[in-house]
Amino acid sequence: MAQEPAGPSSPRGQTATLDDRQILDASVDAVRAAGRVMLDRFPPSPPTTPEQVIAAIRANDAASLHILRPLLEAACPTARWVEDELADGVLPDGDWWVVDPVEGNINHTHGLRDWGVTATLVRDNAAVLTAVHLPLTETTYTALRGGGAFEDGRRLKASSKADLRAALVGTGQASPRETATTFTSIGRSVAAMLEAALVVRVSVPATLQLVELAAGRTDVFWQHSAVRSGLLAGALLVAEAGGTVSALDGRRWTLASNDFLATGSALHASALAVLAPFTAKPHAPRPATASSDVSRSDS
């Protein structure tokens, strides 16, 4: 199987520009500002009905986007905005903001601590830069294509473990749109990893598992989904920290992929051997949508 050290997160031979570094600085300010708003809303009164859960998630998104949008629009006015944060598939060429105003929103609404704010600039289907802020710990993760990955300015390095039996691995659901077929793949792959790895974590959101992988604190993450907002930020962080990103069939991960695998590089082959049998069947992703004024979003 072909193995590539990164997906669209860091194509070989490409680096970010000086302007992108300035955009990244502005993106950090934006996710931190939105994070402060979400911190003021935490902890909430936990919802008790499905309707209350949906209402709480929408209210959180609106509160965060009220701060996040104008700041990111000012940082890169030419970038269009993905309307649906749960969308997958390739984007039209050009610059796009792919954001999750509250990554781990379901956790926030229930008073759990695993949530944050993310913003990733995508250019011609490759992530150029990302900023991930975790307000409860005041921690900010950043990556710039070709420029490395950082946690509060400290360079990140992915795990160097080479034995899957010593690995802390993880997966999780990606969106409420998943089907019984996806649930079956998740269950079977988790069972396989329970036999192959040291410990398996099943949790949400994906980005928070991927920042731990980029930091070398965990070793493998996989997902039977391709939701952009949950994978692009973490994929860039892992790739820039020296990890490996691919699809579950071993091919280079792109926005056209149906599933996802990120590992410390020495574990990639062994993780693929366990997970490749559960590769998702190809599907037709929903087309991306953008507003006519190139910079509006609704999540």
Side-chain angles (χ1 to χ4, degrees):
M1 295 181 185
Q3 298 180 17
E4 296 283 345
S9 324
S10 50
R12 290 186 176 92
Q14 296 187 36
T15 57
T17 67
L18 177 60
D19 286 344
D20 291 332
R21 295 181 183 278
Q22 295 169 342
I23 294 171
L24 178 58
D25 290 342
S27 301
V28 169
D29 291 341
V31 295
R32 287 175 174 169
R36 287 192 291 271
V37 169
M38 298 316 303
L39 194 57
D40 289 341
R41 298 171 63 86
F42 187 85
S45 298
T48 58
T49 68
E51 294 77 15
Q52 289 175 348
V53 171
I54 293 170
I57 287 172
R58 288 177 175 171
N60 276 350
D61 278 347
S64 180
L65 283 170
H66 181 73
I67 302 299
L68 198 58
R69 274 187 195 157
L71 294 174
L72 292 177
E73 289 170 357
C76 188
T78 60
R80 289 172 285 178
W81 205 297
V82 175
E83 295 290 346
D84 182 357
E85 73 183 56
L86 296 178
D88 57 10
V90 256
L91 292 163
D93 286 345
D95 286 356
W96 292 81
W97 282 115
V98 177
V99 307
D100 198 320
V102 192
E103 169 73 327
N105 207 338
I106 192 68
N107 292 335
H108 185 288
T109 61
H110 287 77
L112 297 172
R113 300 180 65 83
D114 292 340
W115 56 272
V117 180
T118 77
T120 304
L121 184 65
V122 177
R123 179 170 301 136
D124 299 333
N125 284 290
V128 174
L129 59 88
T130 193
V132 177
H133 182 60
L134 311 184
L136 286 170
T137 58
E138 282 295 315
T139 307
T140 304
Y141 296 88
T142 59
L144 190 66
R145 188 169 67 191
F150 299 86
E151 176 185 336
D152 291 332
R154 178 182 65 84
R155 185 177 285 273
L156 297 178
K157 181 175 175 54
S159 168
S160 60
K161 284 182 186 174
D163 189 340
L164 194 58
R165 294 173 300 176
L168 179 58
V169 308
T171 188
Q173 295 171 262
S175 86
R177 295 173 180 169
E178 288 169 343
T179 66
T181 300
T182 305
F183 300 150
T184 298
S185 295
I186 293 172
R188 290 176 175 173
S189 63
V190 166
M193 270 298 186
L194 283 168
E195 292 189 19
L198 178 65
V199 172
V200 179
R201 303 170 69 217
V202 181
S203 64
V204 294
T207 301
L208 268 66
Q209 291 207 55
L210 286 166
V211 298
E212 301 293 0
L213 202 159
R217 294 186 284 263
T218 64
D219 308 294
V220 174
F221 174 81
W222 78 97
Q223 193 171 86
H224 297 282
S225 175
V227 174
R228 297 188 208 99
S229 64
L231 296 176
L232 275 166
L236 182 58
L237 283 159
V238 170
E240 290 296 332
T244 298
V245 177
S246 76
L248 288 180
D249 62 4
R251 298 180 184 180
R252 185 171 69 92
W253 183 71
T254 74
L255 289 181
S257 301
N258 296 297
D259 43 37
F260 179 89
L261 173 64
T263 74
S265 291
L267 285 173
H268 190 242
S270 55
L272 272 179
V274 174
L275 296 169
F278 311 105
T279 302
K281 293 181 180 179
H283 71 285
R286 290 176 298 278
T289 56
S291 61
S292 58
D293 69 352
V294 309
S295 59
R296 296 291 172 195
S297 168
D298 231 349
S299 299

